[in-house]
Amino acid sequence: MSDPRDPLERDPDVAPAKAEAARKTANWWVAAVVAVVAVAGALAMLRTVRPSPEKLQAAHDQGVAEAQVDDAAYGRQLTLARAAQAAAAGRAQTTEAAAQTAASGADAVAQTAPAVPVSSGP
């Protein structure tokens, strides 16, 4: 597994074990540099994310306004639901009263009507 482009393998004075150790050390140095750059980038991003007090106050005010609108909308819905319930109850009472009046009228007509004999046929 020799690589002719690798300068450590082209040098006949360098032992294969020494060449492998040099490559592993270089890999660790590259990994360390990448880690340091990643940590520095994360810190820079986190430092700039903090919002200003004005933005925090604006967000709070917006939340309060939305809550007030939601409360008003809920209140309107609740009022409409209660009104619909009351209207349905009123219609039910009116229907019940009409049915009782019709039943009373039918009883009165039945009591005042002359009895009709039932014939058994021709």
Side-chain angles (χ1 to χ4, degrees):
M1 295 202 127
S2 65
D3 186 1
R5 295 172 291 173
D6 190 352
L8 292 175
E9 289 188 9
R10 282 188 277 155
D11 189 0
D13 296 332
V14 177
K18 190 175 183 181
E20 185 65 26
R23 268 195 297 279
K24 285 183 180 179
T25 303
N27 288 342
W28 279 109
W29 276 106
V30 169
V33 168
V34 168
V36 167
V37 169
V39 168
L43 288 175
M45 286 183 358
L46 290 176
R47 197 172 317 173
T48 59
V49 171
R50 187 166 288 151
S52 67
E54 294 82 20
K55 287 184 180 179
L56 289 174
Q57 185 63 41
H60 176 265
D61 294 344
Q62 181 181 359
V64 168
E66 288 175 359
Q68 290 173 345
V69 168
D70 288 345
D71 287 346
Y74 176 73
R76 282 192 302 272
Q77 288 176 347
L78 191 57
T79 301
L80 291 174
R82 287 181 180 156
Q85 188 177 22
R91 284 192 302 272
Q93 287 176 348
T94 303
T95 303
E96 178 67 27
Q100 287 178 356
T101 303
S104 297
D107 285 342
V109 169
Q111 289 176 359
T112 59
V116 178
V118 179
S119 63
S120 60

